[in-house]
Amino acid sequence: MRRESMQFRPLHDRVVVKRVAEEEKTKGGIIIPDTAKEKPMEGEIVAVGPGARDEKGVLVALDVKVGDRILFGKWSGTEVKLDGQDLLIMKESDIMGILEVTKSAKKAA
């Protein structure tokens, strides 16, 4: 039996986000059980819509793109399950910001 995979394309200014798993341990080495962990508010964009239209009908592209790592509000988005993956669909306005990885300088010994 062949299983079909599904492609999902969000509309307007919506994005599809995959939550990024948080650390299982604290800095002190304490393991956090699943029941005590909160859902992460960090994710990676997996799909974006074409953008929203302004009052003149001109398409305004989104500021985020596929692959961006983002922070979003605790109650943002709608949880969905596509092809066995737990994902969130949210409007771009629910995104608080894009996380940019910077290389930190090595500490002098």
Side-chain angles (χ1 to χ4, degrees):
M1 186 172 183
R2 194 178 120 203
R3 183 162 188 224
E4 295 179 23
S5 71
M6 186 182 314
Q7 289 287 337
F8 182 81
R9 184 176 49 93
L11 298 176
H12 309 293
D13 63 339
R14 288 182 176 82
V15 296
V16 179
V17 177
K18 181 174 121 181
R19 288 187 195 267
V20 176
E22 290 187 359
E23 288 289 320
E24 301 288 322
K25 289 187 205 177
T26 64
K27 289 181 182 180
I30 298 169
I31 297 174
I32 303 168
D34 286 338
T35 54
K37 285 193 279 187
E38 289 190 18
K39 289 186 176 182
M41 296 185 312
E42 187 176 322
E44 181 180 338
I45 305 278
V46 295
V48 296
R53 296 205 179 266
D54 65 10
E55 46 292 328
K56 294 181 182 177
V58 177
L59 188 66
V60 179
L62 302 181
D63 288 330
V64 294
K65 62 187 180 308
V66 173
D68 281 349
R69 201 159 174 147
I70 60 162
L71 286 178
F72 51 88
K74 187 180 251 185
W75 308 111
S76 297
T78 301
E79 294 182 356
V80 296
K81 193 168 205 147
L82 294 172
D83 283 341
Q85 271 193 325
D86 290 323
L87 301 169
L88 287 167
I89 299 173
M90 67 181 70
K91 287 187 163 250
E92 184 185 36
S93 59
D94 290 336
I95 298 172
M96 292 189 276
I98 300 171
L99 294 169
E100 296 177 358
V101 179
T102 58
K103 293 183 180 181
S104 60
K106 290 184 179 179
K107 290 183 181 178

